[in-house]
Amino acid sequence: DTAVSQTPKYLVTQMGNDKSIKCEQNLGHDTMYWYKQDSKKFLKIMFSYNNKELIINETVPNRFSPKSPDKAHLNLHINSLELGDSAVYFCASSQDRPGLGLYEQYFGPGTRLTVT
Amino acid sequence: DAKTTQPTSMDCAEGRAANLPCNHSTISGNEYVYWYRQIHSQGPQYIIHGLKNNETNEMASLIITEDRKSSTLILPHATLRDTAVYYCIASTDSWGKLQFGAGTQVVVTP
């Protein structure tokens, strides 16, 4: 069973389009994340949701909007795609364990977005 | 969160122990040390974490110096499948905000 899954795995689209990436976790975790890994391989956190509430929102253009319909899902919608949005996007999840060093995050396989 | 410094790359012979150093000289008392790795084209994978004491699990051991300014991740018997980028991260126990750096590219050779 896949713990954290993402769809699609690859996404090729043109500038100006709107696209969504879906993420689902079957681990029963409370917290989910979106990360972006650019061409230089740096991995940066974008958003984090805890029990469907946004708790981390890094300096991300407002063209990016996360949506969490329930604890098991965190989707990423991107409006007006730009060339610089080309990257690999990873979803992750973790279980709240405050005070115990919580962050054993489980990552999905990634979605490679190419904007042409 | 404290900045961490790792070597850019290192090689290790298959079957030998791999010792990966990490410097976090500005770490604060409530910051944990986390290790993740990323095998090519895959999502990062959690390895281990610790606060003060040394830790061991089925994947690796984490040795943290007494002053907590540095740590070493030990892969006891490296295999070819351990070839990956290894990330050392210092982070407070707050809302899961892990800041990944450049990491160490580890290549395990036969």
Side-chain angles (χ1 to χ4, degrees), chain B:
Chain B
D1 293 340
K3 178 181 166 56
T4 60
T5 304
Q6 300 176 251
T8 303
S9 64
M10 60 185 296
D11 293 338
C12 178
E14 189 178 19
R16 306 293 292 267
N19 295 293
L20 282 63
C22 180
N23 184 291
H24 31 79
S25 57
T26 61
I27 197 169
S28 61
N30 62 345
E31 286 185 296
Y32 287 79
V33 177
Y34 298 88
W35 284 85
Y36 281 75
R37 72 180 183 183
Q38 187 173 22
I39 296 170
H40 181 63
S41 297
Q42 297 182 19
Q45 178 189 23
Y46 165 83
I47 301 173
I48 200 167
H49 76 277
L51 184 61
K52 296 179 184 177
N53 299 323
N54 297 338
E55 302 288 344
T56 296
N57 62 22
E58 65 279 2
M59 286 183 68
S61 294
L62 174 60
I63 309 297
I64 303 174
T65 57
E66 195 167 338
D67 63 8
R68 303 213 323 125
K69 293 184 177 182
S70 66
S71 61
T72 301
L73 178 75
I74 301 173
L75 307 177
H77 305 287
T79 70
L80 300 179
R81 287 188 299 248
D82 292 323
T83 292
V85 178
Y86 287 77
Y87 299 98
C88 170
I89 302 164
S91 183
T92 56
D93 185 13
S94 57
W95 291 110
K97 190 173 174 180
L98 296 177
Q99 306 278 22
F100 287 80
T104 296
Q105 172 67 65
V106 173
V107 177
V108 181
T109 55

Side-chain angles (χ1 to χ4, degrees), chain A residues 56-67:
Chain A
I56 295 175
N57 184 351
E58 291 297 281
T59 309
V60 177
N62 57 15
R63 297 182 295 104
F64 291 79
S65 53
K67 287 192 171 44

Side-chain angles (χ1 to χ4, degrees), chain A residues 27-72:
Chain A
L27 298 166
H29 287 170
D30 292 326
T31 307
M32 297 184 71
Y33 314 81
W34 276 110
Y35 287 82
K36 177 182 180 181
Q37 188 166 41
D38 59 24
S39 57
K40 295 182 180 176
K41 303 297 185 183
F42 285 105
L43 195 63
K44 292 190 67 174
I45 190 165
M46 300 173 68
F47 302 102
S48 172
Y49 267 74
N50 176 260
N51 284 315
K52 295 173 35 180
E53 286 192 32
L54 181 66
I55 53 172
I56 295 175
N57 184 351
E58 291 297 281
T59 309
V60 177
N62 57 15
R63 297 182 295 104
F64 291 79
S65 53
K67 287 192 171 44
S68 180
D70 56 55
K71 261 179 40 170

